[in-house]
Amino acid sequence: MNVFRLQTHRRIVLSAVDMEVKEGGSARGEGGGGGGGEGARAADHNNKPAGVIEVERKFSFGEGSEEKLKKAGAVCKETTSFHDVYYDTEEFILTLADHWLRKREGNWELKCPPSSRDQASLVEQYVELQREADILKQLAAILNVEAASVDEMTRLARCEPFCNFQTDRKTYTLDGGFKIDLDQTDFGFRVGEIELICQKQADVPEALCRIDALAEKLEFGNLEAALSIPVLPPDWLQAELEAANH
């Protein structure tokens, strides 16, 4: 597998398994995921306007992680399952631009970088777009294609599925506006996420510090170590290896 394909594999795991909430509306799936503590309310995660910044940290977790969360005061708000299909061109134009286009349970979503990132932290920072007009505008700038719908744009730009999997998720909330997801894919990989929502870029540094402090307190594992070996479905990796050898 060449370096680009290996990095693509790592980025899918890092940024693919994440939020399922819909901008400006309620969360998809069973339950509503409200609640939370003082200050920034956890319910904000389920009613965020377009363009807010989700600041998150991915981590590995084990059998004792849920017990640690509960001892810290976290409350499990819902359990959901969802299926993701990721799309890109044959040249991986979107991936190279750090744009992640997917269909989650039949709904288009796009994750892309904010205008600026805090490079001092390992925390992932993305703007998540779920309104079709916002997705079309962002994709048009990357793919140089104009279309009336995302379906039409993917067809005109010849975007095809390149990865798909099922994820089971448990969602916890914790005082201070924290949202914690524990995900397990249908191929056995487990990844967790601590997340805060920021209304403006100036709030990101403080959010990063709070996330890092909570992760340290809960003793969550180093995801980079967990990703030192391939974790995507074997058939997908085999296809990538065959493609890399041609």
Side-chain angles (χ1 to χ4, degrees):
M1 182 181 295
N2 61 28
V3 174
F4 167 67
R5 292 180 183 275
L6 178 59
Q7 290 303 318
T8 298
H9 148 251
R10 294 167 67 83
R11 294 301 303 165
I12 289 170
V13 176
L14 284 170
S15 64
V17 186
D18 54 10
M19 290 188 68
E20 62 171 327
V21 298
K22 187 175 183 180
E23 289 176 313
S26 60
R28 288 190 292 276
E30 299 297 327
E38 300 297 327
R41 295 177 297 114
D44 291 343
H45 293 277
N46 294 332
N47 295 281
K48 57 177 184 172
V52 298
I53 301 171
E54 59 177 74
V55 183
E56 62 197 37
R57 178 183 179 185
K58 308 290 186 182
F59 54 86
S60 61
F61 68 92
E63 297 297 332
S65 295
E66 286 191 75
E67 187 62 30
K68 290 179 182 178
L69 278 172
K70 292 174 183 177
K71 287 182 178 180
V75 177
C76 185
K77 291 297 183 177
E78 62 177 338
T79 300
T80 57
S81 295
F82 46 90
H83 183 248
D84 290 328
V85 182
Y86 280 77
Y87 288 76
D88 207 339
T89 66
E90 184 177 356
E91 300 79 16
F92 286 95
I93 293 175
L94 296 177
T95 298
L96 287 170
D98 200 12
H99 282 56
W100 304 90
L101 177 66
R102 72 179 173 214
K103 255 190 176 181
R104 173 166 286 183
E105 297 299 321
N107 298 285
W108 287 108
E109 300 178 349
L110 178 67
K111 293 192 72 176
C112 52
S115 56
S116 62
R117 281 173 167 161
D118 186 331
Q119 301 299 326
S121 175
L122 295 177
V123 177
E124 299 297 311
Q125 301 159 59
Y126 285 95
V127 173
E128 181 176 330
L129 305 177
Q130 294 179 322
R131 293 193 178 99
E132 188 164 43
D134 297 333
I135 295 174
L136 284 171
K137 181 179 179 181
Q138 192 72 20
L139 289 179
I142 302 295
L143 298 173
N144 295 315
V145 173
E146 296 293 337
S149 67
V150 178
D151 284 329
E152 180 184 13
M153 177 166 286
T154 56
R155 185 174 65 255
L156 293 175
R158 297 183 179 179
C159 293
E160 299 290 342
F162 69 95
C163 185
N164 71 88
F165 51 86
Q166 183 84 11
T167 301
D168 296 324
R169 164 174 297 168
K170 289 185 178 181
T171 297
Y172 284 81
T173 57
L174 184 63
D175 284 358
F178 290 100
K179 176 172 170 284
I180 302 101
D181 288 330
L182 302 180
D183 295 346
Q184 181 161 330
T185 67
D186 57 6
F187 53 92
F189 186 70
R190 293 190 293 193
V191 59
E193 174 184 289
I194 300 175
E195 179 185 290
L196 286 171
I197 295 296
C198 293
Q199 300 299 321
K200 56 184 183 297
Q201 188 67 32
D203 296 335
V204 170
E206 180 183 356
L208 296 179
C209 290
R210 293 178 62 203
I211 289 174
D212 288 338
L214 179 60
E216 183 177 357
K217 176 182 177 181
L218 296 176
E219 299 180 346
F220 285 132
N222 187 328
L223 185 60
E224 289 297 315
L227 288 173
S228 61
I229 58 173
V231 295
L232 284 175
D235 56 345
W236 186 87
L237 290 171
Q238 182 60 38
E240 290 297 281
L241 285 169
E242 292 175 357
N245 292 328
H246 288 83

